[in-house]
């Protein structure tokens, strides 16, 4: 009976034993059959033959014709010292269908699953098929033994069923082989089974011939350069796009910060604001740069008329002397040389003139008698040579008697000013600049500051402490007119000499004048009013005076020819006198 034998052509006797079968007589474990094992193998295990029917196949060899077991040992037992797993094998000419030698890990058709091979003599495994008794080529014995490649056992995978037609019906007596399905697919277009593809006895697939020489360095370098160039171009494009987006959108959106800001406002300001006052007055202000044999200095001045007359302080132009250089710079940046017209050290005023300059804008003059304490004022100048500097403040006091100068020691350079006091910051370099009111009109000439280091009134380098003084514009106007007209200024006098060392309250008339001259000038305004040596003058026009300097300041605030009332004390008695101011020239 052929029950339990596979139908169709049997595998030839020259097929090798299943890999992994030991030669020491022990039974190796057989891998479990995959769930999609071939249907013919399953039927053989149940004792049912395939469709070919019972009986021996045309290629089956009777048991009686089988060669002795030592023949299998001659072909299958490796020489001494060679392990079973190192035995190479040639690939059988059949396939895994009927007529094929089972692949690695498969159970031959016709044998129950899990059956062990019959051990041969000597403990070796018996060949699965009988040897060819005729030894006819190409069905002769196996070739020489050689080491086999290491066996790798893949994990069991689902096997694609093989149709019965390929198992029995397509292979005839001539043992023609069933054509292989297309690479990568199994029968009926299914993916090939992992078991059907794997054959540890097969030869390695042919490899493509490659040149084993050293690769071309030029080609490698060229490719590297091209890749770097492409990366640089892409990075530049991406960076440019990102930068443009950030610039247009002020950031990436969520992380950008936008602070509230006021919109654009009209550039013009109201005329009575500091900005409006500065815009109106600045074109009339000039900066002085003076140099001469006695030194150099800077200061400020302002335009009086369209003829080029400019008013400033005497101490600003003093370093030029008679042959020095006076250079002016206008607010618009134009520069010009100036010529001295006249100066007066007692009033600390000077006038210069420029020619060849067009477009000069005179600064309007106000009235210092109309000024009240607390009125807003703006000071313009070039403190520390920073031209066109604008500061603001108020009138802190009026008729503040001050004296400045006196560096020569003989009193010829001392100026007596009945000044306007302001807290607008005035610093060295502001001297000669205008002090303007809320209508951008000049009401004073910035002249002196009180410094914390000296305690005196000068233009020292200490800086402003909020105590600035300006010559009232009414007095400056009169002096400027005289300087422009005659080159010199007149000083009102009362015709008496004062005792400047008197420490009591008031101004005391001296016993003698300079060079033993009379203290009261004969025929002068004082003599005519009845003033005598030793009298103490306490008031001028009803205002108290506390020193001789204050009396001089009050007198110089008047014009020659004006009437003045004096209150004096003689022998403890107070009396009132009136006089008409005379004039005296002082270069």
């Amino acid at each position: 009976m052929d029950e339990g034998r596979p139908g169709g052509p049997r595998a030839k006797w020259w097929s090798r034993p299943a890999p992994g079968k030991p030669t020491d007589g022990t039974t190796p474990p057989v891998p479990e059959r995959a769930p999609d094992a071939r249907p013919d193998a399953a039927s053989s295990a149940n004792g049912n033959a395939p469709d070919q029917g019972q009986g021996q196949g045309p290629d089956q060899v009777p048991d009686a014709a089988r060669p002795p077991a030592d023949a299998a040992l001659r072909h299958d037992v490796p020489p001494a010292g060679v392990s079973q797993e190192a035995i190479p094998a040639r690939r059988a000419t059949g396939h895994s269908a009927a007529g094929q030698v089972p692949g690695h890990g498969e159970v031959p058709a016709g044998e129950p699953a899990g059956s062990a091979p019959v051990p041969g003599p000597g403990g070796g495994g018996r060949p699965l098929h009988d040897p060819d008794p005729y030894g006819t080529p190409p069905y002769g014995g196996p070739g020489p033994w050689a080491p086999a490649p290491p066996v790798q056992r893949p994990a069991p995978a689902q096997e694609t069923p093989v149709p019965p037609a390929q198992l029995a019906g397509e292979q005839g007596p001539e043992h023609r082989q069933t054509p292989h399905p297309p690479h990568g697919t199994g029968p009926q277009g299914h993916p090939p089974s992992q078991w059907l593809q794997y054959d540890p006895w097969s030869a390695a697939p042919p490899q493509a011939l490659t040149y084993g020489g050293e690769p071309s360095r030029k080609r490698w370098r060229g490719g590297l350069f091209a890749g770097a160039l492409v990366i640089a171009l892409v990075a530049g494009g991406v960076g440019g796009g990102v930068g443009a987006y950030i610039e247009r959108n002020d950031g990436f959106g969520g992380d950008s910060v936008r602070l509230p800001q006021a919109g654009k406002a009209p550039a013009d300001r109201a005329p009575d604001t500091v900005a409006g006052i500065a815009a109106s007055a600045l074109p009339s202000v000039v900066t002085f740069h003076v140099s001469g044999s006695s030194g150099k200095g800077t200061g400020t001045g302002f335009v009086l008329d369209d003829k080029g007359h400019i008013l400033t302080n005497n101490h600003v132009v003093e370093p030029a002397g008679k042959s020095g250089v006076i250079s002016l710079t206008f607010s618009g940046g134009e520069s010009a040389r100036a010529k001295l017209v006249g100066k007066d050290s007692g009033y600390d005023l000077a006038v210069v003139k420029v020619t060849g300059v067009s477009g000069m804008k005179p600064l309007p003059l106000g009235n210092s008698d109309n000024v009240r304490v607390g009125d807003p004022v703006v000071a313009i100048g070039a403190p520390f040579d920073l031209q066109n500097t604008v500061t603001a403040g108020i009138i802190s006091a009026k008729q503040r008697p001050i004296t400045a100068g006196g560096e020569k020691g003989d009193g010829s350079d001392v100026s007596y000013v009945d000044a306007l006091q302001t807290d607008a910051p005035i610093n060295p370099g502001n001297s000669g600049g205008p002090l303007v009111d809320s209508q951008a009109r000049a009401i004073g000439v910035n002249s002196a500051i009180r410094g914390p280091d000296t305690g005196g009134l000068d233009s020292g380098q200490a800086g402003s402490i909020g105590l600035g003084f300006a010559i009232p514009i009414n007095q400056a106007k009169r002096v400027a007119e005289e300087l422009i007209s005659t080159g010199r200024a007149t000083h009102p006098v009362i015709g008496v000499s004062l005792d400047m060392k008197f420490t009591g309250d008031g101004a005391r008339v001296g016993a003698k004048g300079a060079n033993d001259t009379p203290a009261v000038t004969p025929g002068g305004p004082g003599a005519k009013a009845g003033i005598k040596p030793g009298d103490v003058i306490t008031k001028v026009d009803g205002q108290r005076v506390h020193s001789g300097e204050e009396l001089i300041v009050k007198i110089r605030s008047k014009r020659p020819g004006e009437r003045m009332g004096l209150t004096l004390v003689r022998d403890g008695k107070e009396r009132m006198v009136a006089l008409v101011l005379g004039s005296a020239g002082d270069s």
Side-chain angles (χ1 to χ4, degrees):
M1 297 295 292
D2 293 331
E3 290 181 2
R5 295 180 180 272
R10 290 182 59 186
K12 300 303 180 180
W13 62 270
W14 56 82
S15 298
R16 294 299 179 195
K21 291 183 178 182
T23 58
D24 55 359
T26 61
T27 303
V30 179
E32 296 181 1
R33 185 177 59 86
D36 56 347
R38 296 187 321 193
D40 58 338
S43 61
S44 299
N46 296 329
N48 298 327
D51 294 340
Q52 194 167 350
Q54 298 179 354
Q56 295 180 349
D59 295 329
Q60 292 180 350
V61 180
D63 295 339
R66 293 178 182 175
D70 57 3
L73 295 176
R74 286 194 302 270
H75 294 291
D76 294 333
V77 177
V82 180
S83 62
Q84 180 69 20
E85 291 186 1
I87 299 175
R90 293 177 299 176
R91 185 174 181 177
T93 58
H95 298 283
S96 297
Q100 289 181 305
V101 176
H104 175 69
E106 296 181 13
V107 179
E111 294 184 12
S115 60
V118 179
R126 184 173 59 85
L128 298 178
H129 305 285
D130 297 333
D132 184 6
Y134 303 102
T136 304
Y139 309 111
W145 293 97
V151 178
Q152 299 180 359
R153 302 181 183 275
Q158 185 176 0
E159 184 179 359
T160 303
V162 179
Q166 294 185 4
L167 294 176
E170 293 184 4
Q171 187 169 6
E174 295 81 10
H175 308 285
R176 66 174 181 264
Q177 299 177 354
T178 303
H180 287 281
H183 180 69
T185 60
Q188 299 179 3
H190 294 286
S193 170
Q194 190 174 10
W195 297 104
L196 294 177
Q197 286 185 333
Y198 180 77
D199 188 358
W201 303 101
S202 64
Q207 301 291 332
L209 297 178
T210 58
Y211 175 66
E214 184 178 359
S216 175
R217 294 185 178 180
K218 293 184 178 180
R219 183 176 302 174
W220 180 79
R221 292 177 179 175
L224 180 61
F225 176 76
L229 181 60
V230 171
I231 293 174
L233 292 176
V234 173
V238 173
V242 172
Y245 174 83
I246 295 175
E247 182 179 2
R248 286 195 302 267
N249 298 276
D250 294 333
F252 288 102
D255 297 334
S256 62
V257 177
R258 292 180 177 271
L259 300 177
Q261 183 181 22
K264 291 185 177 181
D268 297 335
R269 294 292 186 270
D272 58 348
T273 62
V274 174
I277 295 169
S280 178
L282 274 173
S284 302
V285 180
V286 298
T287 301
F288 278 73
H289 293 88
V290 181
S291 61
S293 59
S294 62
K296 60 182 180 179
T298 61
T300 310
F302 57 93
V303 179
L304 292 173
D305 55 28
D306 54 5
K307 295 180 181 180
H309 293 105
I310 297 172
L311 181 64
T312 187
N313 284 136
N314 175 70
H315 70 263
V316 171
V317 298
E318 186 68 23
K322 295 182 179 179
S323 59
V325 177
I326 301 174
S327 176
L328 306 181
T329 303
F330 292 83
S331 61
E334 303 89 344
S335 296
R337 291 287 182 90
K339 181 181 178 180
L340 181 64
V341 174
K343 63 180 182 177
D344 187 271
S345 61
Y347 293 111
D348 195 21
L349 292 172
V351 175
V352 298
K353 184 178 181 180
V354 295
T355 58
V357 178
S358 60
M360 289 186 296
K361 178 184 177 183
L363 183 65
L365 303 180
N367 191 328
S368 55
D369 291 341
N370 297 332
V371 176
R372 297 294 180 266
V373 175
D375 286 349
V377 292
V378 173
I380 303 175
F384 302 100
D385 203 17
L386 301 173
Q387 65 180 15
N388 300 332
T389 299
V390 177
T391 58
I394 62 171
I395 295 296
S396 302
K398 291 180 61 176
Q399 298 178 343
R400 184 74 75 186
I402 64 170
T403 58
E407 287 81 3
K408 293 183 178 180
D410 57 0
S412 61
D413 61 338
V414 177
S415 59
Y416 301 91
V417 179
D418 195 19
L420 297 173
Q421 180 180 332
T422 179
D423 65 346
I426 297 175
N427 294 281
N430 277 100
S431 295
L435 184 69
V436 299
D437 61 9
S438 60
Q439 300 183 43
R441 299 175 301 188
I443 59 173
V445 180
N446 300 321
S447 179
I449 61 173
R450 187 171 184 89
D453 56 339
T454 62
L457 296 170
D458 53 22
S459 57
Q461 302 296 314
S464 174
I465 60 173
L467 297 174
F469 303 94
I471 301 170
I473 197 61
N474 292 4
Q475 181 177 352
K477 176 181 178 292
R478 178 183 65 84
V479 174
E481 290 172 347
E482 293 179 351
L483 293 175
I484 294 171
S485 300
T486 64
R488 48 189 310 182
T490 60
H491 296 256
V493 295
I494 62 174
V496 298
S497 295
L498 300 177
D499 183 6
M500 304 304 292
K501 297 180 179 179
F502 178 69
T503 59
D505 189 21
R508 185 172 70 177
V509 180
K512 291 182 179 180
N515 302 322
D516 292 333
T517 60
V520 178
T521 304
K528 294 178 181 180
I531 299 174
K532 295 180 178 182
D535 290 345
V536 177
I537 301 173
T538 58
K539 295 181 181 179
V540 175
D541 293 336
Q543 294 182 355
R544 292 286 300 187
V545 292
H546 303 281
S547 64
E549 288 85 357
E550 290 188 17
L551 178 61
I552 296 172
V553 169
K554 296 299 183 182
I555 292 171
R556 289 195 177 180
S557 65
K558 307 291 184 178
R559 288 174 179 269
E562 289 186 9
R563 293 185 64 87
M564 177 183 289
L566 299 176
T567 300
L568 54 87
V569 176
R570 183 187 296 165
D571 298 332
K573 294 181 180 180
E574 192 175 71
R575 67 178 59 189
M576 298 287 297
V577 297
L579 54 81
V580 177
L581 294 174
S583 65
D586 187 10
S587 57

